[in-house]
């Protein structure tokens, strides 16, 4: 008798851990392989295979096995995908290499709980239908897990699987249902692939899966927003200041002069953008320098955006800010800060142990949440985000539909020559697709890029080189479906589907 692909979940397994060791290793390795679907490798077909393997494994697991196998998948995915975190911890936080790896491992251990809980919930009920499991329950639970990870404890949506499709066939869905919706579609197709290799294969299912793929590609060519005939000349300036030199007092003038030198040929462009903390000091410390910049920009008819820290003289609060010069001076303060990098979460609990370990933590204050992240440039508006904020689609959308173009300034020098800057750029590309607008991304050491409304990079700099990229950029009006409704439709759909499937099924009789 041929071994069936799907196990009979109504009967009790003879041993809880039968086959668990090879399945565990399989889940760990497929999780690690999934990391190569993200930038800079962008092997976008990998998640269809690895998720299919994971879902098939979960279908034959009880709750304990599903939790373990999901956790191992997460260890592989995040262990490979965000291993670069140790670079900044070790080089710029004064923590030795062993401590840096330990803190990175703790984050990976936390993130791995999300796929583990997804598997646990999927195995909590006995389903008579493979279709319900692979096409409804698993895509829904996976999507809800990624969405929950995006805001729990301030959120860390890095390596959301939808990003693997940024330049692939499913990217067209992003303008409808955002990156979490792309994850749902990807998981749905992965579940369908399992069915096609088993006893439930059929022409009708194959046709449905092909139609879903084709619809994603076709949606990529649909234009939701209107560019009209208005465009601006834009220049992104990349100073390539090494992070270890950036804040040294003796290097500050060199940094300022470099940015002026690179900018010189672009005075007269409508918009010039310097990256996050391009000015290595507080606004009040460089008042004379900034006034000269403002005067030069005004004289040449340019708007200059420059990143720098600011301080409120009344409250003493510090902000990570972006200032507009050459027009009506405006300041935007970063609202979504990096935990541990820019502020201390759970300060009442962690302040003392971190002090004992001599781990320094910056003490920035988040900007006002009720102030739209917008700059008015006198004729057009810019939607703003600083560094980490660009990985949150819902937050970038708060500037829409008012913003005609999106701007993100960042400093990825913290992570050296790792996958991090490439992954960060990939997420910015997804924001452009969701918004249906160009996104201008200026960074200190790269990768600075001009991204069109379809997520295509039409101009970029090389990493670690002082350079600039300039072109004409069309301004867009209108809204995509995602801008209008955000993540709510896909989250509600996932909740409804998962609850229906779980409630209409029966509890397993197997004891864990």
């Amino acid at each position: 008798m041929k071994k069936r692909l799907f196990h009979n979940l109504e009967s009790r397994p003879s041993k809880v851990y039968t086959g668990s060791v090879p399945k565990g290793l399989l889940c760990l390795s497929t999780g690690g392989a999934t990391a190569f679907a993200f930038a800079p490798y962008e092997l976008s077909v990998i998640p269809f295979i690895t998720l299919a393997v994971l879902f098939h494994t979960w279908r034959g697991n009880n709750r304990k096995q599903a939790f373990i196998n999901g956790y191992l998948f997460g260890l592989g995915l995040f262990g490979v995908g965000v291993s670069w975190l140790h670079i900044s911890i070790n080089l710029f936080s004064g923590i030795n290499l062993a401590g840096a790896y330990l803190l990175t491992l703790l984050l990976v251990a936390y993130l791995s709980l999300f796929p583990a809980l997804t598997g646990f919930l999927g195995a909590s009920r006995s389903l008579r239908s493979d279709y319900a499991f692979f096409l409804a329950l698993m895509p829904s639970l996976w999507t809800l897990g990624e969405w929950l990870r995006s805001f729990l404890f301030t959120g860390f949506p890095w390596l959301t699987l939808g990003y693997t499709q940024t330049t692939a066939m499913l990217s067209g869905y992003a303008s409808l249902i955002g990156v979490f919706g792309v994850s749902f579609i990807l998981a749905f197709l992965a579940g369908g692939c399992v069915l096609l290799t088993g006893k439930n294969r059929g022409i009708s299912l194959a046709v449905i899966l092909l139609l879903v793929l084709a619809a994603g590609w076709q949606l990529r060519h649909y234009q939701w927003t209107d560019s009209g005939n208005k465009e601006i000349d834009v220049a992104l300036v990349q100073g390539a200041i090494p992070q270890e030199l950036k804040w040294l007092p003796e290097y500050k003038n060199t940094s300022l002069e470099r940015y002026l030198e690179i900018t010189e040929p672009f005075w007269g462009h409508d918009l010039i953008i310097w990256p996050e903390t391009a000015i290595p000091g507080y606004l009040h410390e460089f008042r004379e320098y900034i006034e000269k910049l403002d005067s030069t920009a005004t004289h040449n008819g340019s708007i200059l955006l420059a990143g720098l820290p600011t301080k409120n003289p009344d409250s003493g609060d510090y902000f990570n800010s972006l200032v507009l010069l050459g027009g009506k001076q405006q300041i935007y303060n970063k609202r979504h800060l990096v935990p541990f990098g820019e502020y201390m979460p759970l300060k009442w609990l962690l302040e003392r142990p971190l002090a004992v370990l001599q781990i320094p933590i910056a003490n920035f204050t988040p900007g006002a949440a009720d102030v739209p992240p917008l700059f008015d440039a006198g004729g057009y508006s810019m939607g703003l985000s600083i560094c980490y904020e660009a990985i949150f689609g819902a937050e970038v959308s708060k500037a829409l539909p008012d913003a005609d173009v999106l701007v993100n300034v960042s400093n990825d020098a913290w992570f050296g020559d790792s996958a991090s800057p490439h992954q960060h750029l990939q997420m910015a590309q997804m924001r452009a697709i969701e918004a249906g607008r160009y996104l201008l991304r200026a960074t200190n050491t790269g990768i600075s890029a001009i991204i069109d409304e379809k997520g295509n990079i039409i101009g970029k700099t090389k990493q670690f080189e002082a350079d600039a990229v300039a072109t004409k950029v069309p301004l867009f009006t209108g809204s995509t479906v995602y801008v209008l409704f955000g993540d709510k439709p896909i989250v509600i759909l996932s909740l409804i589907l998962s609850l229906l499937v779980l409630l209409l099924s029966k509890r397993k009789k197997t004891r864990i």
Side-chain angles (χ1 to χ4, degrees):
M1 181 182 295
K2 292 183 179 180
K3 185 178 179 181
R4 296 197 305 166
L5 179 61
F6 305 112
H7 300 285
N8 182 355
L9 295 183
E10 301 297 331
S11 60
R12 180 185 300 193
S14 57
K15 292 182 180 180
V16 171
Y17 290 103
T18 299
S20 63
V21 174
K23 285 182 179 178
L25 290 175
L26 179 64
C27 291
L28 180 66
S29 59
T30 53
T34 304
F36 292 92
F38 296 90
Y41 315 102
E42 298 189 62
L43 303 175
S44 59
V45 71
I46 288 179
F48 295 97
I49 302 169
T50 55
L51 266 193
V53 171
L54 181 64
F55 291 172
H56 173 225
T57 301
W58 277 341
R59 184 63 165 129
N61 285 166
N62 57 37
R63 285 175 290 183
K64 186 173 184 178
Q65 291 171 319
F67 183 91
I68 293 172
N69 287 327
Y71 197 78
L72 289 170
F73 183 92
L75 286 178
L77 171 62
F78 298 110
V80 174
V82 299
S83 58
W84 39 261
L85 277 168
H86 79 274
I87 298 173
S88 63
I89 298 173
N90 173 231
L91 295 181
F92 305 115
S93 297
I95 301 174
N96 62 35
L97 190 59
Y101 275 117
L102 176 61
L103 290 175
T104 302
L105 181 60
L106 288 175
L107 177 63
V108 169
Y110 159 71
L111 296 174
S112 300
L113 288 172
F114 290 91
L117 291 172
T118 298
F120 178 85
L121 291 173
S124 294
R125 296 274 180 161
S126 179
L127 306 180
R128 296 186 181 276
S129 169
D130 288 334
Y131 284 92
F133 183 84
F134 289 110
L135 301 181
L137 184 60
M138 281 298 97
S140 299
L141 290 177
W142 187 272
T143 302
L144 290 172
E146 290 192 331
W147 173 71
L148 184 65
R149 178 162 60 87
S150 75
F151 67 85
L152 196 63
F153 304 121
T154 77
F156 191 78
W158 220 278
L159 301 189
T160 296
L161 285 189
Y163 289 118
T164 65
Q165 305 302 301
T166 300
T167 57
M169 288 189 69
L170 299 183
S171 62
Y173 286 106
S175 56
L176 282 173
I177 47 181
V179 68
F180 298 116
V182 178
S183 287
F184 181 95
I185 299 295
L186 195 162
F188 173 86
L189 291 170
C193 290
V194 179
L195 292 172
L196 287 179
T197 61
K199 63 183 178 63
N200 294 291
R201 59 183 176 269
I203 296 297
S204 58
L205 176 60
V207 170
I208 290 172
L209 298 182
L210 287 173
L211 286 175
V212 171
L213 274 172
W217 184 252
Q218 191 61 36
L219 283 168
R220 184 174 173 82
H221 300 287
Y222 187 84
Q223 188 64 44
W224 298 95
T225 51
D226 182 18
S227 63
N229 297 313
K230 192 171 184 179
E231 59 184 15
I232 56 174
D233 289 307
V234 169
L236 312 182
V237 178
Q238 177 175 299
I241 308 298
Q243 190 62 31
E244 60 271 22
L245 301 178
K246 187 178 182 70
W247 299 99
L248 296 178
E250 63 270 24
Y251 201 84
K252 288 185 177 182
N253 285 337
T254 302
S255 180
L256 296 174
E257 290 169 4
R258 179 178 297 183
Y259 272 99
L260 284 176
E261 180 182 350
I262 301 173
T263 303
E264 182 63 32
F266 302 105
W267 288 121
H269 279 54
D270 299 298
L271 179 62
I272 302 168
I273 305 174
W274 290 6
E276 179 184 20
T277 59
I279 298 175
Y282 292 101
L283 177 63
H284 64 274
E285 295 176 333
F286 290 92
R287 183 68 67 182
E288 183 178 347
Y289 177 84
I290 290 170
E291 287 176 355
K292 288 182 179 179
L293 274 180
D294 187 33
S295 176
T296 304
T298 302
H299 176 74
N300 287 280
S302 298
I303 293 292
L304 172 67
L305 305 186
L308 78 171
T310 60
K311 179 181 179 180
N312 185 316
D314 298 322
S315 65
D317 292 334
Y318 296 94
F319 301 93
N320 187 349
S321 305
L322 185 64
V323 61
L324 183 150
L325 305 172
K328 180 183 177 181
Q329 191 171 116
Q330 300 159 65
I331 296 177
Y332 168 72
N333 297 322
K334 186 177 181 181
R335 304 188 297 180
H336 199 136
L337 303 177
V338 181
F340 299 104
E342 293 177 313
Y343 82 104
M344 185 188 298
L346 303 175
K347 186 175 181 179
W348 60 273
L349 177 65
L350 299 175
E351 185 173 23
R352 182 169 294 179
L354 289 177
V356 170
L357 293 172
Q358 296 184 329
I359 298 177
I361 300 294
N363 192 29
F364 284 106
T365 299
D370 58 345
V371 177
L374 286 165
F375 275 166
D376 178 9
Y380 64 95
S381 295
M382 294 172 278
L384 311 170
S385 60
I386 297 178
C387 192
Y388 191 66
E389 293 179 315
I391 72 176
F392 299 94
E395 295 196 15
V396 171
S397 293
K398 290 178 181 178
L400 301 168
D402 297 325
D404 303 299
V405 64
L406 299 178
V407 172
N408 174 247
V409 296
S410 188
N411 179 21
D412 289 336
W414 296 99
F415 305 107
D417 188 15
S418 70
S420 175
H422 302 274
Q423 293 171 356
H424 205 174
L425 174 61
Q426 188 177 49
M427 288 185 273
Q429 291 174 261
M430 183 61 75
R431 298 291 85 82
I433 302 172
E434 291 172 342
R437 281 160 173 75
Y438 270 59
L439 188 147
L440 313 175
R441 184 171 189 265
T443 71
N444 178 27
T445 58
I447 307 165
S448 300
I450 297 172
I451 306 166
D452 73 11
E453 79 281 7
K454 300 299 181 183
N456 301 308
I457 297 174
I458 63 172
K460 67 177 182 179
T461 61
K462 293 181 180 180
Q463 280 187 280
F464 312 112
E465 292 185 10
D467 199 1
V469 57
T471 189
K472 288 185 180 294
V473 168
L475 302 176
F476 283 80
T477 58
S479 299
T480 62
V481 176
Y482 178 75
V483 167
L484 292 173
F485 300 104
D487 297 317
K488 294 184 183 70
I490 195 62
V491 171
I492 292 172
L493 174 64
S494 298
L495 279 170
I496 291 173
L497 285 177
S498 55
L499 289 174
L500 277 177
V501 173
L502 291 174
L503 290 174
L504 293 176
S505 61
K506 63 180 182 179
R507 292 186 183 277
K508 286 187 179 184
K509 296 179 181 178
T510 53
R511 286 160 45 175
I512 306 303

